């Protein structure tokens, strides 16, 4: 578990008592008890309060806060406060201020406003972490350290330019190697001196945020900035560990946030935590996929739901209220997919600035007589009831989808073939198909051990890094099924094309080669026409965005294109390789095709649905000590009946036995522990 001091699903969230007076604190204590709050995240944005000048530190307010919370039965997730620097620091040390994408030097303001390569920022952030760790190392209230907050944002200042050149020296060793990797003979870009290299922004190689003349330098700058921010995290983490080696350390991630390679970050975190803010109309399978990704960052280890809103957000175009029951439903969705905490931003709603309209457990009215508070308090009671039954429970998925940030950067920076190609959306299409079939699915990185799965899917694996193709071949040869798609195997880790025909190093295992890639206009489609029925696949399906014009060289042609000049050429193939199979999906097909394909492949491996629930009802399984717990989550506006087959379950929330059929109310949740199997 995250920390044995609190052996249950943690319940709480961000708390900013520094914004309030003593009378409000007393009311907070009372209301926290009513709501069942047992963890408060404090000190997230208090750097200016903690350090009013270069040599002075004030922690008395924080002492009082942590002591008061602990006396009231509330533990703390203690943040380091370094997410936004103080005004005096910006005035005295301008090197701390970022330079934006357009080359403009920022003034003081906002947050995420510190240059990650500023010596000033690193010095004072590290010092702050050390002061806090030394002061609170023995305080019994401290469960976990929370470094900074929602890291993100790139900088293009002179400090970053110098650090980038040093980073490149370490990566490449010589300018000759760099010039080769970046293909700098194109457009007379050969570098003669390390000082010739400038940051790629709107003043040099890039425009529009993701369009670039040179993919090599832009790709490396994203790697460098992700590494730079990670170094800042590690500096604080190491200071914390110096004083408190046994207290876990985390920082809150943001799902599919594009700028940071979270697989690399997760290696440096004791536990992954993240902030979940879907819109009211976000497909619930997309939220599920993001939870699965957070679980997958550390090989299936449970994660922390660090933030969600109990009611409304403040920063989306339309900040709809969560309907009755939805907060509870989405909280349990996180738990179902691996969260061992349920936490909010925020516990009490602020009265000023940009987050005053962001929802909270305690609303502006200030008392417990609100719908939101009642729902929060009811959930708090249920989490107390569940105790430690779900802690450390894992997924038992036999299907995995690969996601890779560097592959995403490469696709987004690519000059063509279509503006409609969106890596995250293509990945979600495959996850959604499996989710609708109620097939347990993991999200994994390219370095993950593949042999724990029966089926591994790598949609749009544009960038194939060293060793990946060989690992796929070994996985398939031992009996696994590998699925990849159009626009895969195109380039290496430097974004240089792998010659010899697409899909490059995946050509051997897939048994095909592609000679062309056709980009379809938004209103155009082709068809994937089955040669004959195959499993659940039959007839014809629409496809679009991109169409690879491929040739089979050993692979069986399962479907052909139905129109255009490549009519009759393969659009779906499967290649027997050793004891396993590799499928190649040559276009982006409609959802019906992906469900039929996934069902066909899962049937071949005997992979069954968690439960055969109706559309709109999500089923997820966690396993602990060999004991299965199944979550049934009704995302629809109608009650649902879910068949249970021949198993007997007990509902952990009601204590009632469940047989034959489980009735789930509107936005309702059932948490079912299997007791036995009956004979009918």
């Amino acid at each position: 578990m995250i920390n044995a001091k609190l052996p249950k699903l943690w319940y709480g969230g961000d708390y900013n008592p520094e914004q309030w007076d003593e009378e409000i604190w007393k009311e907070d204590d009372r209301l926290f008890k009513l709501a069942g709050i047992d963890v408060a995240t404090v000190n997230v944005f208090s750097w200016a309060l903690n350090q009013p000048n270069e040599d002075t530190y004030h922690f008395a307010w924080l002492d009082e806060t942590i002591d008061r919370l602990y006396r009231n039965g509330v533990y703390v997730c203690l943040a380091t406060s370094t997410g936004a620097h103080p005004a005096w620091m910006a005035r005295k040390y301008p090197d701390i201020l970022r330079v934006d994408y357009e080359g403009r030097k920022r003034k003081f303001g906002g947050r995420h406003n510190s240059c990650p390569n500023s010596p000033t920022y690193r010095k004072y952030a590290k010092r702050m972490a050390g002061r806090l760790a030394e002061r609170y190392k023995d305080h019994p209230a401290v469960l976990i350290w929370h470094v900074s907050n929602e890291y993100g944002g790139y900088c293009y200042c002179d400090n970053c330019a110098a650090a980038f050149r040093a980073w490149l020296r370490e990566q490449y060793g010589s300018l000759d190697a760099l010039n080769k990797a970046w293909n700098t003979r194109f457009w007379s870009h050969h570098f003669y001196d390390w000082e010739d290299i400038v940051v790629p922004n709107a003043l040099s190689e890039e425009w529009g945020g993701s369009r670039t003349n040179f993919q090599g330098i832009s790709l490396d700058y994203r790697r460098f900035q992700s590494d730079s921010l990670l170094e800042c995290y590690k500096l604080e983490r190491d200071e914390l560990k110096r004083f408190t080696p046994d207290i876990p350390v985390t920082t809150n991630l943001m799902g599919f946030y594009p700028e940071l390679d979270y697989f690399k970050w997760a290696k440096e975190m004791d536990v992954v935590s993240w902030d979940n803010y879907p819109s009211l109309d976000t497909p619930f399978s997309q939220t599920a996929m993001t939870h699965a990704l957070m679980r997958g960052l550390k090989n299936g280890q449970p994660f922390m739901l660090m933030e969600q809103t109990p009611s409304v957000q403040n920063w989306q175009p339309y900040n709809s209220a969560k309907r009755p029951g939805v907060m509870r439903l989405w909280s349990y969705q996180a738990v179902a997919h691996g969260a061992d905490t349920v936490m909010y931003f925020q516990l009490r709603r602020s009265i000023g600035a940009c987050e005053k309209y962001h929802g909270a457990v305690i609303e502006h009215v200030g008392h417990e007589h609100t719908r939101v508070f009642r729902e929060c308090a009811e959930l708090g009671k249920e989490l107390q009831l569940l105790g430690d039954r779900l802690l450390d429970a894992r997924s038992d998925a036999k299907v995995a989808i690969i996601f890779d940030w560097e592959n995403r950067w490469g696709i987004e920076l690519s000059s063509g073939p279509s503006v409609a190609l969106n890596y995250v959306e293509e990945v979600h299409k495959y996850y959604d198909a499996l989710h609708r079939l109620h097939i347990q699915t993991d999200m994994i990185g390219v370095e993950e051990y593949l042999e724990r799965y029966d089926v591994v899917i790598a949609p749009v694996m544009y960038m194939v890094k060293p060793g990946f193709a060989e690992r796929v071949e070994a996985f398939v040869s031992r009996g696994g099924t590998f699925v990849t798609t159009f626009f895969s195997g195109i380039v290496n880790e430097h974004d240089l094309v792998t010659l010899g025909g697409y899909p490059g190093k995946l050509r051997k295992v897939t048994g095909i080669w592609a000679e062309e890639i056709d980009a379809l206009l938004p209103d155009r489609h082709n068809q994937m026409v089955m040669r004959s029925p195959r499993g659940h696949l039959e007839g014809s399906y629409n496809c679009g965005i991109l169409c690879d014009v491929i040739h089979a060289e050993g692979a069986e042609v399962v479907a052909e294109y139905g129109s255009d000049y490549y009519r009759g050429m393969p659009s779906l193939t499967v290649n027997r390789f050793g004891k396993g199979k590799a499928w190649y999906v040559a276009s982006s097909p409609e959802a019906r095709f992906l469900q039929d394909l996934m069902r066909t492949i899962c049937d071949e491996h005997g992979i069954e649905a968690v439960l055969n629930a109706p559309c709109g009802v999500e089923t997820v399984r966690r396993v602990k000590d060999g004991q299965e717990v199944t979550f049934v989550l009704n995302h629809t506006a109608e009650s649902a009946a879910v068949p249970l087959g021949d198993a007997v379950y007990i509902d952990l929330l009601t204590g009632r036995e469940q047989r034959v059929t489980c009735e789930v109310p509107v936005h309702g949740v059932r948490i079912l522990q299997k007791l036995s199997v009956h004979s009918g």
Side-chain angles (χ1 to χ4, degrees):
M1 60 188 69
I2 304 168
N3 192 316
K5 289 180 182 178
L6 187 58
K8 64 174 288 290
L9 294 171
W10 297 0
Y11 191 53
D14 279 43
Y15 179 44
N16 301 295
E18 66 272 25
Q19 299 177 17
W20 306 94
D21 58 28
E22 189 171 351
E23 286 304 308
I24 294 293
W25 298 344
K26 292 177 182 178
E27 186 66 355
D28 289 340
D29 293 342
R30 184 183 74 85
L31 292 172
F32 289 176
K33 281 186 177 179
L34 284 178
I37 300 297
D38 47 41
V39 177
T41 302
V42 297
N43 196 45
V44 176
F45 287 110
S46 306
W47 199 347
L49 183 61
N50 292 337
Q51 189 179 8
N53 58 57
E54 193 160 2
D55 302 311
T56 305
Y57 291 84
H58 290 322
F59 295 122
W61 77 273
L62 190 54
D63 295 343
E64 185 176 359
T65 294
I66 296 174
D67 289 344
R68 173 175 59 83
L69 288 168
Y70 189 62
R71 286 194 306 269
N72 200 46
V74 179
Y75 292 87
V76 298
C77 168
L78 186 52
T80 58
S81 76
T82 53
H85 56 249
W88 65 262
M89 201 176 290
R91 170 173 37 84
K92 191 169 184 179
Y93 299 104
D95 74 281
I96 202 172
L97 298 168
R98 289 184 179 180
V99 169
D100 71 11
Y101 184 75
E102 305 293 335
R104 299 169 298 193
K105 183 80 166 178
R106 285 183 56 90
K107 301 292 185 180
F108 175 73
R111 64 174 189 171
H112 305 306
N113 51 0
S114 308
C115 166
N117 289 292
S118 159
T120 301
Y121 176 74
R122 292 191 173 194
K123 170 185 172 181
Y124 286 110
K126 178 181 176 181
R127 186 177 294 177
M128 176 60 73
R131 292 284 184 118
L132 289 165
E134 186 174 21
R135 190 176 189 92
Y136 299 107
K137 64 181 185 295
D138 297 319
H139 202 295
V142 180
L143 293 179
I144 189 167
W145 290 107
H146 180 314
V147 176
S148 191
N149 185 76
E150 293 183 339
Y151 278 100
Y154 291 170
C155 179
Y156 300 86
C157 72
D158 291 343
N159 280 328
C160 286
F164 182 45
R165 289 189 282 268
W167 185 90
L168 292 170
R169 275 197 182 102
E170 185 176 343
Q171 299 296 314
Y172 293 102
S174 69
L175 278 172
D176 286 343
L178 179 143
N179 279 311
K180 183 177 181 180
W182 287 359
N183 194 37
T184 57
R185 292 190 179 185
F186 181 80
W187 282 6
S188 193
H189 266 53
H190 186 90
F191 293 107
Y192 301 95
D193 190 287
W194 293 103
E195 294 300 313
D196 293 339
I197 300 170
V198 299
V199 298
N201 64 356
L203 299 179
S204 55
E205 300 293 359
E206 295 188 20
W207 69 102
S210 63
R211 304 191 69 185
T212 181
N213 298 311
F214 266 80
Q215 281 74 30
I217 187 172
S218 293
L219 180 62
D220 273 342
Y221 200 71
R222 281 150 181 76
R223 290 171 171 145
F224 159 73
Q225 280 288 323
S226 179
D227 285 357
S228 296
L229 287 159
L230 180 56
E231 281 301 311
C232 293
Y233 165 82
K234 288 163 62 177
L235 280 171
E236 291 193 46
R237 179 208 60 190
D238 291 349
E239 275 297 282
L240 298 171
K241 288 293 188 183
R242 187 160 69 92
F243 293 98
T244 59
D246 298 324
I247 297 178
V249 181
T250 190
T251 186
N252 48 337
L253 309 181
M254 295 176 285
F256 283 92
Y257 181 70
E259 294 186 346
L260 306 181
D261 182 350
Y262 281 163
F263 279 104
K264 197 168 186 178
W265 276 65
K267 294 176 182 178
E268 308 297 339
M269 300 165 66
D270 292 321
V271 59
V272 166
S273 65
W274 87 284
D275 300 345
N276 180 36
Y277 290 110
S279 300
L280 199 62
D281 60 351
T282 299
F284 62 90
S285 65
Q286 186 169 327
T287 305
M289 179 176 75
T290 316
H291 287 312
L293 179 66
M294 296 298 101
R295 182 181 73 236
L297 293 180
K298 286 187 76 68
N299 311 109
Q301 178 182 310
F303 58 89
M304 293 180 66
L305 177 61
M306 183 68 82
E307 291 184 22
Q308 63 171 341
T309 178
S311 53
V312 298
Q313 291 153 209
N314 70 295
W315 45 267
Q316 293 185 347
Y318 305 97
N319 294 289
S320 305
K322 288 181 177 176
R323 271 40 186 177
V326 170
M327 180 278 296
R328 175 177 179 266
L329 174 67
W330 289 2
S331 297
Y332 278 124
Q333 184 187 34
V335 174
H337 287 280
D340 275 356
T341 72
V342 175
M343 300 173 71
Y344 304 106
F345 183 87
Q346 47 196 329
L347 294 186
R348 179 179 281 275
R349 196 187 280 222
S350 302
I351 62 168
C354 64
E355 289 177 339
K356 64 181 177 293
Y357 297 128
H358 194 293
V361 175
I362 306 169
E363 297 284 9
H364 282 148
V365 70
H367 56 58
E368 67 269 35
H369 306 297
T370 66
R371 174 183 69 87
V372 171
F373 189 92
R374 284 193 299 272
E375 290 193 23
C376 290
E378 288 165 5
L379 180 57
K381 290 176 183 176
E382 289 182 349
L383 297 181
Q384 289 285 350
L385 177 69
L386 288 170
D388 66 351
R389 293 196 211 191
L390 299 172
L391 293 186
D392 296 325
R394 302 281 183 127
S395 164
D396 62 349
K398 292 300 179 184
V399 180
I401 298 176
I402 292 175
F403 186 88
D404 181 53
W405 261 271
E406 294 187 357
N407 183 64
R408 177 185 187 176
W409 293 335
I411 291 169
E412 290 176 348
L413 292 167
S414 177
S415 180
S418 171
V419 296
L421 178 58
N422 182 299
Y423 178 54
V424 176
E425 288 180 4
E426 291 303 314
V427 171
H428 178 245
K429 289 175 183 178
Y430 283 80
Y431 187 92
D432 183 67
L434 290 158
H435 191 264
R436 289 174 184 269
L437 296 171
H438 304 286
I439 300 296
Q440 193 93 341
T441 306
D442 284 352
M443 297 289 294
I444 63 173
V446 291
E447 297 178 1
E448 184 63 82
Y449 181 67
L450 303 182
E451 272 66 22
R452 72 174 65 176
Y453 301 102
D454 294 337
V455 180
V456 172
I457 305 163
V460 200
M461 190 48 62
Y462 167 76
M463 178 185 294
V464 174
K465 298 174 183 176
F468 178 73
E470 292 77 7
R471 291 172 53 238
V472 169
E473 290 173 8
F475 165 72
V476 177
S477 67
R478 294 190 188 106
T481 293
F482 177 70
V483 182
T484 194
T485 76
F486 64 96
F487 207 51
S488 290
I490 307 295
V491 300
N492 67 6
E493 72 276 19
H494 302 300
D495 206 38
L496 295 179
V497 170
T498 301
L499 299 179
Y502 317 136
K505 291 187 176 181
L506 297 175
R507 181 172 174 178
K508 181 180 176 182
V509 74
T510 56
I512 60 103
W513 71 277
E515 64 169 305
E516 287 185 275
I517 302 170
D518 185 26
L520 274 60
L521 296 175
D523 59 345
R524 301 291 177 89
H525 294 91
N526 208 308
Q527 303 79 40
M528 302 176 76
V529 182
M530 298 296 298
R531 282 189 165 183
S532 61
R534 176 75 171 254
H536 298 275
L537 291 160
E538 60 180 338
S540 177
Y541 305 87
N542 283 336
C543 61
I545 301 180
L546 295 180
C547 294
D548 282 1
V549 181
I550 66 175
H551 302 268
E553 47 183 12
E556 175 192 352
V557 178
V558 181
E560 300 170 342
Y561 287 114
S563 59
D564 220 314
Y565 70 92
Y566 39 89
R567 178 181 179 181
M569 296 191 72
S571 59
L572 175 68
T573 62
V574 61
N575 188 46
R576 295 187 178 275
F577 190 88
K579 297 179 180 178
K581 299 177 181 178
W583 291 78
Y584 193 87
V585 184
S587 185
S588 182
E590 62 175 294
R592 183 172 60 91
F593 169 88
L594 290 178
Q595 289 181 50
D596 290 348
L597 176 63
M598 292 298 102
R599 191 183 308 174
T600 298
I601 292 172
C602 288
D603 283 355
E604 289 179 353
H605 285 275
I607 300 170
E608 298 180 346
V610 176
L611 289 173
N612 289 309
C615 181
V617 177
E618 181 178 12
T619 61
V620 190
R621 184 170 54 237
R622 290 180 72 173
V623 180
K624 178 179 179 180
D625 299 329
Q627 180 67 62
E628 295 180 3
V629 176
T630 301
F631 293 76
V632 185
L633 309 155
N634 185 1
H635 294 274
T636 74
E638 298 179 355
S639 62
V642 178
L644 298 178
D646 58 0
V648 180
Y649 297 87
I650 187 169
D651 187 335
L652 296 182
L653 295 176
T654 66
R656 297 194 188 101
E657 208 172 82
Q658 300 283 321
R659 294 171 179 262
V660 185
T661 302
C662 174
E663 296 291 335
V664 192
V666 175
H667 296 153
V669 175
R670 301 291 186 205
I671 304 178
L672 306 177
Q673 188 172 74
K674 185 181 286 186
L675 296 178
S676 63
V677 176
H678 63 78
S679 59

